[in-house]
Amino acid sequence: MPRIVVLRVGHRVPRDSRVTTHVALVGRAFGADEIWVDKKDGGLERRVKDVVERFGGSFRIRTGVGWRRSMREWKGRVVHLTMYGEPLDEALAKIPSEDLLIIVGAQKVPGEVFEMADFNVAVGNQPHSEVAALALFLDRLLGGEGLRREFSGSITVVPSARGKVVEEDAT
Ligand code: SAM
């Protein structure tokens, strides 16, 4: 199974902390293995690790990771999600089944990222959100498999048409 890492570029503490938390949680829930964030943010690390501890899985977070070096040293393909890119369906047909580094921006992304990426991919050509772009990209890439994975945490939400059904492992 190819490894999927999300790289968040331009993260500002504390301004982007909430949205970057959502980027991380969407990455985890939709099939990514890790998130790397370019600025050190201890609070963000704690929040994401806390979700992983309670809800399970092996999702990892690293912050204070340089984006240029990460892109340069990445062994698989690099996908940059941007409204200026090529249409999602056309790009998906070309992206090989290899390890993927998926870049999402916070503030304006440096032009170099566009040059260094193997694919600049647009989830529609309108401005919207890194959270939505990442969710749609992962879901289309993995054909929905990301959402069907088992996480085996100490908290398990049991799907229910009505109300909340939650199982908690007391150990
Ligand atoms: N204002 C910034 C700029 O001018 O580049 C971008 C802000 S936007 C909310 C943050 C990120 O959302 C972008 O870097 C991109 O990764 C993602 N994004 C927003 N709209 C997108 C779209 N239509 N397709 C793909 N990614 C998108």
Side-chain angles (χ1 to χ4, degrees):
M1 191 72 175
R3 180 165 165 245
I4 299 178
V5 174
V6 177
L7 174 61
R8 172 74 148 157
V9 173
H11 174 72
R12 293 155 294 188
V13 187
R15 182 173 164 169
D16 295 315
S17 292
R18 186 174 158 81
V19 176
T20 304
T21 302
H22 289 190
V23 171
L25 296 183
V26 161
R28 171 182 174 273
F30 283 71
D33 301 293
E34 273 181 63
I35 184 167
W36 299 348
V37 179
D38 60 351
K39 268 281 164 46
K40 187 78 194 157
D41 188 338
L44 172 68
E45 287 191 21
R46 278 191 295 281
R47 281 193 297 281
V48 172
K49 283 178 183 168
D50 177 61
V51 171
V52 175
E53 244 165 57
R54 290 184 298 130
F55 288 87
S58 53
F59 189 78
R60 286 160 42 106
I61 177 164
R62 289 170 56 200
T63 70
V65 176
W67 64 264
R68 195 180 279 105
R69 184 169 179 189
S70 300
M71 287 184 80
R72 212 180 275 142
E73 294 180 357
W74 182 253
K75 299 282 184 261
R77 303 299 174 110
V78 177
V79 173
H80 170 216
L81 297 181
T82 167
M83 62 185 273
Y84 304 103
E86 63 177 321
L88 178 60
D89 291 334
E90 289 173 25
L92 281 174
K94 294 190 266 182
I95 296 174
S97 180
E98 286 177 20
D99 289 354
L100 289 186
L101 183 67
I102 303 174
I103 298 179
V104 293
Q107 50 190 304
K108 196 170 187 297
V109 170
E112 223 179 316
V113 170
F114 287 77
E115 302 298 324
M116 290 174 74
D118 295 299
F119 303 94
N120 289 292
V121 180
V123 182
N125 294 105
Q126 299 300 316
H128 49 78
S129 149
E130 50 274 53
V131 177
L134 180 64
L136 263 157
F137 178 79
L138 286 174
D139 194 54
R140 294 276 186 91
L141 177 79
L142 301 174
E145 274 311 309
L147 285 176
R148 288 189 282 270
R149 285 168 314 146
E150 295 285 339
F151 285 89
S152 308
S154 56
I155 300 177
T156 305
V157 175
V158 181
S160 165
R162 244 171 243 284
K164 297 183 191 173
V165 184
V166 177
E167 285 174 356
E168 284 196 54
D169 180 356
T171 58

